[in-house]
Amino acid sequence: MLDIFAQKYKNLWQSTAIFPSWLLMVYAGIFFLPALFLLFAQEKILSISTLITFVCLFALGFVTIKEKSWSYIGWGGLTVALGYLMFAIPHGTQLIYVTILTALVCVASYFGFAHKNSGDSRIGVLIAGLIFLVVFVSHAAILANPKVFGVDVQGNELATFATGTIQELANMDPADFVKTKEGRKAAIQVYDTSLFISDADLEQIVKNNPEPIKKVQQELLSTTPNFTNNPYSYIISVYTHPLFKLLTKK
């Protein structure tokens, strides 16, 4: 029964596995170059783990596109890694959707390429699977417990940085606020002036009647992005920790 089901929908299984594999290759290729920045940071464990993981993500997408029968092992390893992150990081249960989708691709890869296919040796499949499993799970362990691996990150640095920047704009003197790009744009709209008004004239308008622009500044606080309850924010904070250290260095 299972054999008939797998064979009948073989093309659907293959398509389900190949499409996200192309996306995975694009994703890994794009983010690999910015990840090279981590090599200049002190957190060598994180940088090496990240770069190796991106290489393996690209390889996983590539071998799936090439219809290798053991590609489902790599997708399975990635599912295990995401499952570990779900229970190990703050608010990680929000990752359940991407974990389920990854598991679906794993199943699709199996039925599309591996089921009833004995082209690859079982030893080769086991070795390839263990490599992917170790890489993905070890990287997930670093993301879940960065301090244990020498990465001194709180996990909410992105939220703190973004909130601090917005609060700084909200607390600025109105005349100084309109000197910023966003402040000038808001002032032109609030005071209904010409787009080509000079900075001096706009500043004078604000000084004469600062209340409208002050209201805009206070509204900024209510539009602060809520990163705190987002597991992706936690993960990005770990990645961008060296950059934030550089930006906030006194």
Side-chain angles (χ1 to χ4, degrees):
M1 185 70 178
L2 185 62
D3 294 344
I4 296 175
F5 177 74
Q7 192 62 36
K8 183 177 180 180
Y9 298 102
K10 191 177 184 67
N11 291 334
L12 177 61
W13 292 123
Q14 291 180 349
S15 299
T16 303
I18 288 178
F19 178 71
S21 297
W22 276 109
L23 297 179
L24 193 64
M25 290 175 64
V26 172
Y27 161 83
I30 291 175
F31 287 96
F32 178 80
L33 293 178
L36 290 173
F37 171 80
L38 294 174
L39 290 176
F40 301 98
Q42 296 180 354
E43 292 83 1
K44 296 302 180 185
I45 294 177
L46 175 65
S47 61
I48 294 173
S49 172
T50 301
L51 293 173
I52 292 177
T53 302
F54 277 136
V55 170
C56 285
L57 287 174
F58 185 90
L60 178 55
F62 182 76
V63 298
T64 305
I65 291 171
K66 290 296 184 180
E67 302 183 9
K68 296 294 185 181
S69 64
W70 53 269
S71 61
Y72 77 96
I73 299 289
W75 285 102
L78 190 55
T79 303
V80 172
L82 289 169
Y84 174 74
L85 283 177
M86 277 180 55
F87 300 101
I89 66 175
H91 310 286
T93 51
Q94 293 181 34
L95 295 172
I96 188 171
Y97 303 106
V98 69
T99 305
I100 292 175
L101 288 174
T102 305
L104 176 62
V105 176
C106 175
V107 173
S109 179
Y110 174 76
F111 283 116
F113 308 122
H115 190 66
K116 291 296 183 180
N117 187 340
S118 58
D120 294 320
S121 69
R122 296 189 179 275
I123 295 179
V125 170
L126 180 62
I127 293 175
L130 287 175
I131 291 175
F132 279 108
L133 184 65
V134 169
V135 170
F136 294 143
V137 174
S138 61
H139 184 60
I142 293 176
L143 291 180
N145 308 281
K147 288 188 177 181
V148 175
F149 295 91
V151 183
D152 187 18
V153 61
Q154 300 298 321
N156 62 347
E157 292 181 335
L158 179 60
T160 302
F161 182 79
T163 302
T165 301
I166 292 177
Q167 287 179 339
E168 184 179 343
L169 290 173
N171 296 328
M172 288 177 68
D173 181 271
D176 292 330
F177 176 64
V178 296
K179 293 179 182 179
T180 66
K181 181 179 179 180
E182 292 301 320
R184 176 182 168 84
K185 182 178 179 180
I188 289 175
Q189 184 175 0
V190 170
Y191 294 100
D192 193 22
T193 65
S194 169
L195 292 174
F196 306 102
I197 187 173
S198 67
D199 292 340
D201 290 342
L202 185 60
E203 186 177 342
Q204 188 60 47
I205 293 175
V206 171
K207 287 181 178 179
N208 293 336
N209 182 20
E211 293 307 317
I213 202 67
K214 282 184 178 180
K215 185 178 179 181
V216 171
Q217 288 178 270
Q218 293 307 307
E219 289 176 350
L220 286 175
L221 296 176
S222 63
T223 58
T224 302
N226 184 10
F227 295 102
T228 306
N229 299 325
N230 191 328
Y232 298 100
S233 172
Y234 178 92
I235 294 173
I236 293 173
S237 291
V238 177
Y239 284 145
T240 57
H241 172 63
L243 178 59
F244 283 122
K245 279 204 307 186
L246 180 64
L247 294 174
T248 57
K249 189 176 182 180
K250 300 298 183 180

